[in-house]
Amino acid sequence: MLVAIRRIFIFWKAGDILVIKLSLEVSARIGKKYALYLPKSVVDLLKIREGDKVKISVEGKKMIVEIIRDPIDLALHGKKFAKISAEEVERISLEEQGKYEGSS
């Protein structure tokens, strides 16, 4: 089995963003009925579970397989990128309700 791990580190100052990209290259075989069996290293790296959905696209002679994460799973376990307090939710709700109070 061919396994190649490439680490690419990219740093830039656009808003103090740090990007670290890890890529993994593994050979695999196509099985009966054209089944593609994923190596454990790929499954572990991408945290793939049995039953996950994927999107398959073809570009030239390349097949690209992307995992389609369940929205609820993403909400519970995905990377968090925003934060809002209960007080902010209440304030915004009252502002929006105020816009419609005089319109009936």
Side-chain angles (χ1 to χ4, degrees):
M1 175 186 293
L2 167 70
V3 176
I5 298 175
R6 294 187 208 134
R7 288 182 180 89
I8 302 166
F9 298 95
I10 302 168
F11 306 90
W12 72 87
K13 274 290 198 185
D16 294 332
I17 296 174
L18 166 66
V19 174
I20 300 173
K21 180 179 177 184
L22 173 67
S23 64
L24 175 69
E25 197 173 284
V26 180
S27 68
R29 292 189 185 267
I30 304 295
K32 290 184 179 183
K33 297 188 179 184
Y34 307 104
L36 177 60
Y37 296 96
L38 301 174
K40 185 171 180 1
S41 57
V42 172
V43 171
D44 291 344
L45 181 67
L46 298 175
K47 296 179 175 75
I48 299 171
R49 293 187 309 252
E50 195 171 304
D52 282 352
K53 292 186 178 186
V54 295
K55 177 180 112 178
I56 300 172
S57 54
V58 176
E59 292 180 9
K61 292 198 174 256
K62 290 184 179 185
M63 175 176 63
I64 300 157
V65 181
E66 297 176 74
I67 304 160
I68 300 172
R69 296 287 182 200
D70 175 42
I72 294 176
D73 185 52
L74 272 177
L76 295 174
H77 307 291
K79 182 179 176 184
K80 307 302 186 248
F81 58 88
K83 193 178 213 178
I84 189 165
S85 69
E87 291 80 16
E88 288 176 288
V89 171
E90 182 67 19
R91 181 185 55 76
I92 294 168
S93 174
L94 291 172
E95 285 175 10
E96 291 299 315
Q97 290 175 50
K99 291 178 184 177
Y100 297 100
E101 282 180 350
S103 64
S104 10

Short mmCIF file of all heavy atoms in Angstrom, two decimals, residues 36-93:
data_model
loop_
_atom_site.label_atom_id
_atom_site.label_comp_id
_atom_site.label_asym_id
_atom_site.label_seq_id
_atom_site.Cartn_x
_atom_site.Cartn_y
_atom_site.Cartn_z
N LEU A 36 -15.41 1.07 -3.63
CA LEU A 36 -14.13 1.64 -3.25
C LEU A 36 -14.00 1.51 -1.73
O LEU A 36 -14.80 2.05 -0.99
CB LEU A 36 -14.06 3.12 -3.65
CG LEU A 36 -12.80 3.88 -3.27
CD1 LEU A 36 -11.57 3.24 -3.89
CD2 LEU A 36 -12.92 5.33 -3.68
N TYR A 37 -13.00 0.76 -1.29
CA TYR A 37 -12.79 0.56 0.14
C TYR A 37 -11.75 1.54 0.63
O TYR A 37 -10.63 1.59 0.13
CB TYR A 37 -12.36 -0.88 0.40
CG TYR A 37 -13.44 -1.86 0.03
CD1 TYR A 37 -13.44 -2.49 -1.20
CD2 TYR A 37 -14.50 -2.09 0.91
CE1 TYR A 37 -14.46 -3.36 -1.55
CE2 TYR A 37 -15.52 -2.97 0.56
CZ TYR A 37 -15.50 -3.60 -0.66
OH TYR A 37 -16.50 -4.44 -1.02
N LEU A 38 -12.14 2.33 1.60
CA LEU A 38 -11.27 3.38 2.11
C LEU A 38 -10.29 2.83 3.14
O LEU A 38 -10.69 2.12 4.06
CB LEU A 38 -12.10 4.49 2.77
CG LEU A 38 -13.13 5.16 1.86
CD1 LEU A 38 -13.99 6.11 2.66
CD2 LEU A 38 -12.46 5.86 0.71
N PRO A 39 -9.02 3.19 3.02
CA PRO A 39 -8.03 2.76 4.02
C PRO A 39 -8.33 3.41 5.37
O PRO A 39 -8.88 4.52 5.45
CB PRO A 39 -6.71 3.28 3.46
CG PRO A 39 -6.96 3.50 2.00
CD PRO A 39 -8.40 3.87 1.89
N LYS A 40 -7.98 2.71 6.44
CA LYS A 40 -8.24 3.19 7.79
C LYS A 40 -7.60 4.55 8.04
O LYS A 40 -8.19 5.41 8.71
CB LYS A 40 -7.74 2.18 8.82
CG LYS A 40 -8.09 2.54 10.25
CD LYS A 40 -7.77 1.42 11.18
CE LYS A 40 -8.07 1.67 12.64
NZ LYS A 40 -8.63 2.90 13.05
N SER A 41 -6.45 4.82 7.46
CA SER A 41 -5.78 6.11 7.67
C SER A 41 -6.65 7.27 7.14
O SER A 41 -6.72 8.33 7.76
CB SER A 41 -4.41 6.12 7.00
OG SER A 41 -4.53 5.83 5.62
N VAL A 42 -7.33 7.05 6.03
CA VAL A 42 -8.21 8.08 5.46
C VAL A 42 -9.45 8.24 6.33
O VAL A 42 -9.87 9.35 6.63
CB VAL A 42 -8.60 7.72 4.01
CG1 VAL A 42 -9.66 8.66 3.47
CG2 VAL A 42 -7.38 7.73 3.11
N VAL A 43 -10.04 7.13 6.73
CA VAL A 43 -11.24 7.15 7.57
C VAL A 43 -10.96 7.87 8.89
O VAL A 43 -11.74 8.71 9.33
CB VAL A 43 -11.74 5.72 7.84
CG1 VAL A 43 -12.84 5.69 8.88
CG2 VAL A 43 -12.21 5.07 6.54
N ASP A 44 -9.82 7.57 9.49
CA ASP A 44 -9.45 8.20 10.76
C ASP A 44 -9.19 9.70 10.59
O ASP A 44 -9.64 10.51 11.40
CB ASP A 44 -8.22 7.54 11.36
CG ASP A 44 -8.49 6.13 11.84
OD1 ASP A 44 -9.68 5.76 11.99
OD2 ASP A 44 -7.52 5.37 12.05
N LEU A 45 -8.48 10.08 9.52
CA LEU A 45 -8.16 11.48 9.29
C LEU A 45 -9.41 12.31 9.06
O LEU A 45 -9.54 13.41 9.60
CB LEU A 45 -7.21 11.62 8.09
CG LEU A 45 -6.76 13.03 7.75
CD1 LEU A 45 -5.86 13.59 8.84
CD2 LEU A 45 -6.04 13.05 6.42
N LEU A 46 -10.36 11.78 8.29
CA LEU A 46 -11.57 12.53 7.95
C LEU A 46 -12.74 12.28 8.89
O LEU A 46 -13.81 12.87 8.72
CB LEU A 46 -11.99 12.20 6.51
CG LEU A 46 -10.99 12.59 5.43
CD1 LEU A 46 -11.46 12.11 4.08
CD2 LEU A 46 -10.76 14.08 5.42
N LYS A 47 -12.55 11.37 9.84
CA LYS A 47 -13.62 11.03 10.80
C LYS A 47 -14.90 10.59 10.07
O LYS A 47 -15.99 11.07 10.36
CB LYS A 47 -13.89 12.18 11.75
CG LYS A 47 -12.71 12.52 12.62
CD LYS A 47 -13.01 13.68 13.54
CE LYS A 47 -11.89 13.95 14.51
NZ LYS A 47 -10.72 14.57 13.98
N ILE A 48 -14.72 9.69 9.10
CA ILE A 48 -15.84 9.17 8.32
C ILE A 48 -16.49 8.03 9.09
O ILE A 48 -15.81 7.23 9.72
CB ILE A 48 -15.34 8.65 6.95
CG1 ILE A 48 -14.68 9.78 6.17
CG2 ILE A 48 -16.46 8.02 6.15
CD1 ILE A 48 -13.98 9.33 4.91
N ARG A 49 -17.83 7.98 9.01
CA ARG A 49 -18.57 6.89 9.66
C ARG A 49 -19.40 6.17 8.61
O ARG A 49 -19.79 6.75 7.59
CB ARG A 49 -19.48 7.46 10.74
CG ARG A 49 -18.70 8.06 11.91
CD ARG A 49 -19.63 8.44 13.03
NE ARG A 49 -20.73 9.26 12.56
CZ ARG A 49 -20.88 10.56 12.79
NH1 ARG A 49 -19.98 11.19 13.48
NH2 ARG A 49 -21.92 11.22 12.35
N GLU A 50 -19.68 4.93 8.87
CA GLU A 50 -20.53 4.15 7.98
C GLU A 50 -21.88 4.84 7.85
O GLU A 50 -22.46 5.27 8.84
CB GLU A 50 -20.71 2.74 8.55
CG GLU A 50 -21.25 1.75 7.57
CD GLU A 50 -21.21 0.34 8.10
OE1 GLU A 50 -20.13 -0.12 8.50
OE2 GLU A 50 -22.28 -0.30 8.14
N GLY A 51 -22.37 5.00 6.63
CA GLY A 51 -23.64 5.66 6.40
C GLY A 51 -23.51 7.12 6.03
O GLY A 51 -24.49 7.75 5.62
N ASP A 52 -22.30 7.72 6.17
CA ASP A 52 -22.11 9.12 5.76
C ASP A 52 -22.38 9.24 4.27
O ASP A 52 -22.12 8.33 3.49
CB ASP A 52 -20.67 9.58 6.05
CG ASP A 52 -20.43 9.91 7.50
OD1 ASP A 52 -21.40 9.93 8.28
OD2 ASP A 52 -19.27 10.15 7.87
N LYS A 53 -22.88 10.41 3.86
CA LYS A 53 -23.14 10.66 2.45
C LYS A 53 -21.93 11.38 1.84
O LYS A 53 -21.22 12.11 2.54
CB LYS A 53 -24.38 11.52 2.28
CG LYS A 53 -25.64 10.80 2.68
CD LYS A 53 -26.86 11.62 2.38
CE LYS A 53 -28.09 10.82 2.77
NZ LYS A 53 -29.32 11.49 2.39
N VAL A 54 -21.72 11.14 0.54
CA VAL A 54 -20.62 11.79 -0.16
C VAL A 54 -21.10 12.36 -1.49
O VAL A 54 -22.13 11.95 -2.03
CB VAL A 54 -19.45 10.81 -0.44
CG1 VAL A 54 -18.82 10.33 0.84
CG2 VAL A 54 -19.90 9.64 -1.28
N LYS A 55 -20.36 13.35 -1.96
CA LYS A 55 -20.58 13.91 -3.30
C LYS A 55 -19.39 13.50 -4.14
O LYS A 55 -18.23 13.68 -3.72
CB LYS A 55 -20.67 15.43 -3.22
CG LYS A 55 -20.82 16.11 -4.56
CD LYS A 55 -20.89 17.62 -4.39
CE LYS A 55 -19.64 18.22 -4.96
NZ LYS A 55 -19.61 19.67 -4.89
N ILE A 56 -19.65 12.92 -5.32
CA ILE A 56 -18.58 12.48 -6.21
C ILE A 56 -18.61 13.35 -7.45
O ILE A 56 -19.65 13.50 -8.08
CB ILE A 56 -18.74 10.99 -6.58
CG1 ILE A 56 -18.71 10.13 -5.32
CG2 ILE A 56 -17.67 10.57 -7.58
CD1 ILE A 56 -19.06 8.67 -5.57
N SER A 57 -17.47 13.93 -7.79
CA SER A 57 -17.38 14.72 -9.01
C SER A 57 -16.14 14.26 -9.79
O SER A 57 -15.21 13.69 -9.23
CB SER A 57 -17.31 16.22 -8.70
OG SER A 57 -16.27 16.49 -7.79
N VAL A 58 -16.16 14.50 -11.09
CA VAL A 58 -15.07 14.09 -11.96
C VAL A 58 -14.51 15.33 -12.65
O VAL A 58 -15.26 16.12 -13.21
CB VAL A 58 -15.55 13.07 -13.01
CG1 VAL A 58 -14.44 12.71 -13.97
CG2 VAL A 58 -16.11 11.82 -12.33
N GLU A 59 -13.21 15.50 -12.57
CA GLU A 59 -12.50 16.58 -13.26
C GLU A 59 -11.39 15.95 -14.07
O GLU A 59 -10.40 15.49 -13.51
CB GLU A 59 -11.94 17.59 -12.26
CG GLU A 59 -13.00 18.38 -11.53
CD GLU A 59 -12.40 19.38 -10.55
OE1 GLU A 59 -11.17 19.59 -10.55
OE2 GLU A 59 -13.19 19.95 -9.78
N GLY A 60 -11.58 15.90 -15.37
CA GLY A 60 -10.59 15.23 -16.22
C GLY A 60 -10.56 13.76 -15.86
O GLY A 60 -11.56 13.07 -15.93
N LYS A 61 -9.39 13.27 -15.45
CA LYS A 61 -9.26 11.87 -15.05
C LYS A 61 -9.20 11.72 -13.53
O LYS A 61 -8.77 10.70 -13.01
CB LYS A 61 -8.02 11.26 -15.69
CG LYS A 61 -8.14 11.12 -17.19
CD LYS A 61 -7.12 10.15 -17.70
CE LYS A 61 -7.34 9.90 -19.16
NZ LYS A 61 -7.96 8.64 -19.43
N LYS A 62 -9.63 12.76 -12.81
CA LYS A 62 -9.63 12.71 -11.34
C LYS A 62 -11.04 12.54 -10.82
O LYS A 62 -11.98 13.17 -11.31
CB LYS A 62 -9.06 14.01 -10.75
CG LYS A 62 -7.60 14.17 -10.96
CD LYS A 62 -7.12 15.42 -10.26
CE LYS A 62 -5.64 15.60 -10.44
NZ LYS A 62 -5.14 16.74 -9.66
N MET A 63 -11.19 11.69 -9.82
CA MET A 63 -12.46 11.53 -9.12
C MET A 63 -12.29 12.20 -7.76
O MET A 63 -11.35 11.91 -7.02
CB MET A 63 -12.79 10.05 -8.92
CG MET A 63 -14.04 9.82 -8.09
SD MET A 63 -14.53 8.10 -7.94
CE MET A 63 -13.15 7.38 -7.06
N ILE A 64 -13.20 13.10 -7.44
CA ILE A 64 -13.14 13.82 -6.17
C ILE A 64 -14.32 13.40 -5.32
O ILE A 64 -15.47 13.49 -5.76
CB ILE A 64 -13.16 15.34 -6.41
CG1 ILE A 64 -11.95 15.72 -7.27
CG2 ILE A 64 -13.18 16.11 -5.10
CD1 ILE A 64 -12.09 16.99 -8.01
N VAL A 65 -14.03 12.91 -4.12
CA VAL A 65 -15.08 12.45 -3.21
C VAL A 65 -15.08 13.40 -2.02
O VAL A 65 -14.08 13.54 -1.33
CB VAL A 65 -14.82 11.00 -2.74
CG1 VAL A 65 -15.92 10.53 -1.81
CG2 VAL A 65 -14.68 10.07 -3.93
N GLU A 66 -16.22 14.08 -1.79
CA GLU A 66 -16.35 15.01 -0.67
C GLU A 66 -17.42 14.51 0.28
O GLU A 66 -18.49 14.07 -0.15
CB GLU A 66 -16.75 16.39 -1.18
CG GLU A 66 -15.72 17.02 -2.09
CD GLU A 66 -16.19 18.34 -2.64
OE1 GLU A 66 -16.19 19.33 -1.87
OE2 GLU A 66 -16.57 18.37 -3.82
N ILE A 67 -17.15 14.59 1.56
CA ILE A 67 -18.11 14.16 2.58
C ILE A 67 -19.17 15.24 2.72
O ILE A 67 -18.86 16.42 2.80
CB ILE A 67 -17.41 13.94 3.93
CG1 ILE A 67 -16.27 12.94 3.77
CG2 ILE A 67 -18.40 13.47 4.98
CD1 ILE A 67 -15.26 13.02 4.86
N ILE A 68 -20.44 14.82 2.77
CA ILE A 68 -21.55 15.74 3.02
C ILE A 68 -21.96 15.51 4.47
O ILE A 68 -22.52 14.48 4.80
CB ILE A 68 -22.73 15.47 2.07
CG1 ILE A 68 -22.29 15.63 0.62
CG2 ILE A 68 -23.90 16.40 2.40
CD1 ILE A 68 -23.33 15.19 -0.38
N ARG A 69 -21.62 16.46 5.31
CA ARG A 69 -21.92 16.32 6.73
C ARG A 69 -23.39 16.62 7.01
O ARG A 69 -23.98 17.53 6.42
CB ARG A 69 -21.05 17.27 7.56
CG ARG A 69 -19.58 16.97 7.47
CD ARG A 69 -19.23 15.72 8.22
NE ARG A 69 -17.79 15.50 8.15
CZ ARG A 69 -17.22 14.34 8.36
NH1 ARG A 69 -17.95 13.29 8.66
NH2 ARG A 69 -15.93 14.22 8.29
N ASP A 70 -23.97 15.88 7.92
CA ASP A 70 -25.34 16.08 8.38
C ASP A 70 -25.39 17.42 9.12
O ASP A 70 -24.56 17.67 10.00
CB ASP A 70 -25.73 14.93 9.30
CG ASP A 70 -27.10 15.09 9.92
OD1 ASP A 70 -28.02 15.52 9.20
OD2 ASP A 70 -27.24 14.79 11.12
N PRO A 71 -26.35 18.31 8.79
CA PRO A 71 -26.39 19.62 9.44
C PRO A 71 -26.50 19.55 10.96
O PRO A 71 -25.89 20.36 11.66
CB PRO A 71 -27.65 20.26 8.85
CG PRO A 71 -27.92 19.53 7.59
CD PRO A 71 -27.37 18.15 7.77
N ILE A 72 -27.24 18.61 11.48
CA ILE A 72 -27.37 18.50 12.94
C ILE A 72 -26.05 18.06 13.56
O ILE A 72 -25.62 18.58 14.58
CB ILE A 72 -28.53 17.57 13.33
CG1 ILE A 72 -29.84 18.21 12.88
CG2 ILE A 72 -28.52 17.25 14.82
CD1 ILE A 72 -31.07 17.41 13.08
N ASP A 73 -25.38 17.10 12.90
CA ASP A 73 -24.07 16.66 13.38
C ASP A 73 -23.08 17.81 13.36
O ASP A 73 -22.30 17.99 14.28
CB ASP A 73 -23.57 15.49 12.52
CG ASP A 73 -22.28 14.91 13.04
OD1 ASP A 73 -22.23 14.58 14.25
OD2 ASP A 73 -21.32 14.80 12.27
N LEU A 74 -23.14 18.62 12.29
CA LEU A 74 -22.26 19.79 12.21
C LEU A 74 -22.55 20.78 13.33
O LEU A 74 -21.63 21.34 13.93
CB LEU A 74 -22.44 20.49 10.86
CG LEU A 74 -21.59 20.00 9.72
CD1 LEU A 74 -21.94 20.75 8.44
CD2 LEU A 74 -20.12 20.13 10.01
N ALA A 75 -23.83 21.01 13.61
CA ALA A 75 -24.20 21.96 14.67
C ALA A 75 -23.69 21.48 16.02
O ALA A 75 -23.23 22.28 16.84
CB ALA A 75 -25.72 22.13 14.71
N LEU A 76 -23.75 20.19 16.26
CA LEU A 76 -23.33 19.65 17.55
C LEU A 76 -21.82 19.47 17.67
O LEU A 76 -21.24 19.72 18.71
CB LEU A 76 -24.01 18.30 17.80
CG LEU A 76 -25.53 18.34 17.96
CD1 LEU A 76 -26.08 16.93 18.05
CD2 LEU A 76 -25.92 19.14 19.18
N HIS A 77 -21.17 19.04 16.57
CA HIS A 77 -19.76 18.66 16.66
C HIS A 77 -18.84 19.45 15.76
O HIS A 77 -17.63 19.30 15.84
CB HIS A 77 -19.61 17.17 16.33
CG HIS A 77 -20.49 16.29 17.15
ND1 HIS A 77 -20.29 16.09 18.50
CD2 HIS A 77 -21.60 15.57 16.83
CE1 HIS A 77 -21.23 15.29 18.96
NE2 HIS A 77 -22.04 14.96 17.97
N GLY A 78 -19.39 20.28 14.88
CA GLY A 78 -18.56 21.04 13.94
C GLY A 78 -17.81 22.18 14.59
O GLY A 78 -18.06 22.54 15.75
N LYS A 79 -16.89 22.75 13.82
CA LYS A 79 -16.10 23.87 14.30
C LYS A 79 -17.00 25.08 14.51
O LYS A 79 -17.79 25.43 13.64
CB LYS A 79 -15.01 24.20 13.29
CG LYS A 79 -14.10 25.30 13.72
CD LYS A 79 -13.03 25.56 12.68
CE LYS A 79 -12.20 26.74 13.09
NZ LYS A 79 -11.21 27.08 12.07
N LYS A 80 -16.90 25.69 15.65
CA LYS A 80 -17.70 26.87 15.97
C LYS A 80 -16.97 28.11 15.47
O LYS A 80 -15.77 28.25 15.64
CB LYS A 80 -17.94 26.99 17.47
CG LYS A 80 -18.52 25.74 18.13
CD LYS A 80 -19.83 25.31 17.52
CE LYS A 80 -20.45 24.17 18.26
NZ LYS A 80 -20.51 22.92 17.59
N PHE A 81 -17.70 29.03 14.82
CA PHE A 81 -17.07 30.22 14.27
C PHE A 81 -17.76 31.50 14.70
O PHE A 81 -17.32 32.58 14.35
CB PHE A 81 -17.00 30.14 12.74
CG PHE A 81 -18.35 29.98 12.09
CD1 PHE A 81 -19.09 31.09 11.75
CD2 PHE A 81 -18.85 28.73 11.84
CE1 PHE A 81 -20.33 30.94 11.15
CE2 PHE A 81 -20.08 28.57 11.24
CZ PHE A 81 -20.82 29.68 10.89
N ALA A 82 -18.85 31.42 15.43
CA ALA A 82 -19.55 32.62 15.87
C ALA A 82 -20.08 32.38 17.28
O ALA A 82 -20.24 31.25 17.72
CB ALA A 82 -20.71 32.94 14.94
N LYS A 83 -20.34 33.46 17.97
CA LYS A 83 -20.83 33.35 19.34
C LYS A 83 -21.87 34.44 19.55
O LYS A 83 -21.69 35.57 19.13
CB LYS A 83 -19.66 33.53 20.30
CG LYS A 83 -19.94 33.14 21.71
CD LYS A 83 -18.68 33.33 22.54
CE LYS A 83 -18.62 32.30 23.60
NZ LYS A 83 -17.39 32.42 24.40
N ILE A 84 -22.97 34.09 20.19
CA ILE A 84 -24.01 35.07 20.50
C ILE A 84 -24.59 34.72 21.88
O ILE A 84 -24.78 33.55 22.20
CB ILE A 84 -25.10 35.12 19.41
CG1 ILE A 84 -26.05 36.29 19.65
CG2 ILE A 84 -25.84 33.81 19.31
CD1 ILE A 84 -26.91 36.61 18.45
N SER A 85 -24.83 35.73 22.67
CA SER A 85 -25.37 35.50 24.01
C SER A 85 -26.89 35.52 23.97
O SER A 85 -27.50 36.02 23.02
CB SER A 85 -24.86 36.58 24.97
OG SER A 85 -25.44 37.82 24.63
N ALA A 86 -27.50 35.01 25.02
CA ALA A 86 -28.97 35.01 25.12
C ALA A 86 -29.49 36.45 25.13
O ALA A 86 -30.54 36.74 24.56
CB ALA A 86 -29.41 34.27 26.39
N GLU A 87 -28.75 37.36 25.76
CA GLU A 87 -29.15 38.76 25.81
C GLU A 87 -29.16 39.38 24.41
O GLU A 87 -30.06 40.15 24.06
CB GLU A 87 -28.21 39.57 26.72
CG GLU A 87 -28.34 39.23 28.20
CD GLU A 87 -27.59 37.95 28.59
OE1 GLU A 87 -26.73 37.47 27.80
OE2 GLU A 87 -27.89 37.41 29.66
N GLU A 88 -28.17 39.04 23.58
CA GLU A 88 -28.12 39.56 22.21
C GLU A 88 -29.29 39.02 21.38
O GLU A 88 -29.88 39.75 20.60
CB GLU A 88 -26.80 39.17 21.54
CG GLU A 88 -25.60 39.94 22.07
CD GLU A 88 -24.32 39.46 21.44
OE1 GLU A 88 -23.88 38.34 21.80
OE2 GLU A 88 -23.78 40.19 20.60
N VAL A 89 -29.62 37.74 21.57
CA VAL A 89 -30.75 37.14 20.85
C VAL A 89 -32.03 37.87 21.23
O VAL A 89 -32.84 38.23 20.37
CB VAL A 89 -30.87 35.63 21.16
CG1 VAL A 89 -32.16 35.06 20.60
CG2 VAL A 89 -29.67 34.88 20.61
N GLU A 90 -32.23 38.12 22.52
CA GLU A 90 -33.42 38.83 23.00
C GLU A 90 -33.50 40.24 22.44
O GLU A 90 -34.54 40.68 21.98
CB GLU A 90 -33.42 38.86 24.54
CG GLU A 90 -34.63 39.51 25.15
CD GLU A 90 -35.92 38.72 24.93
OE1 GLU A 90 -35.85 37.53 24.62
OE2 GLU A 90 -37.00 39.34 25.08
N ARG A 91 -32.36 40.97 22.44
CA ARG A 91 -32.32 42.33 21.93
C ARG A 91 -32.69 42.37 20.44
O ARG A 91 -33.53 43.16 20.01
CB ARG A 91 -30.93 42.94 22.14
CG ARG A 91 -30.81 44.37 21.65
CD ARG A 91 -29.40 44.91 21.77
NE ARG A 91 -28.38 44.10 21.11
CZ ARG A 91 -28.18 44.06 19.78
NH1 ARG A 91 -28.92 44.79 18.98
NH2 ARG A 91 -27.22 43.32 19.27
N ILE A 92 -32.10 41.49 19.66
CA ILE A 92 -32.39 41.43 18.22
C ILE A 92 -33.84 41.06 17.98
O ILE A 92 -34.52 41.63 17.13
CB ILE A 92 -31.43 40.44 17.51
CG1 ILE A 92 -30.00 40.98 17.57
CG2 ILE A 92 -31.86 40.20 16.07
CD1 ILE A 92 -28.94 39.98 17.18
N SER A 93 -34.37 40.12 18.77
CA SER A 93 -35.76 39.70 18.63
C SER A 93 -36.71 40.87 18.90
O SER A 93 -37.66 41.09 18.16
CB SER A 93 -36.05 38.55 19.60
OG SER A 93 -37.41 38.23 19.59
#
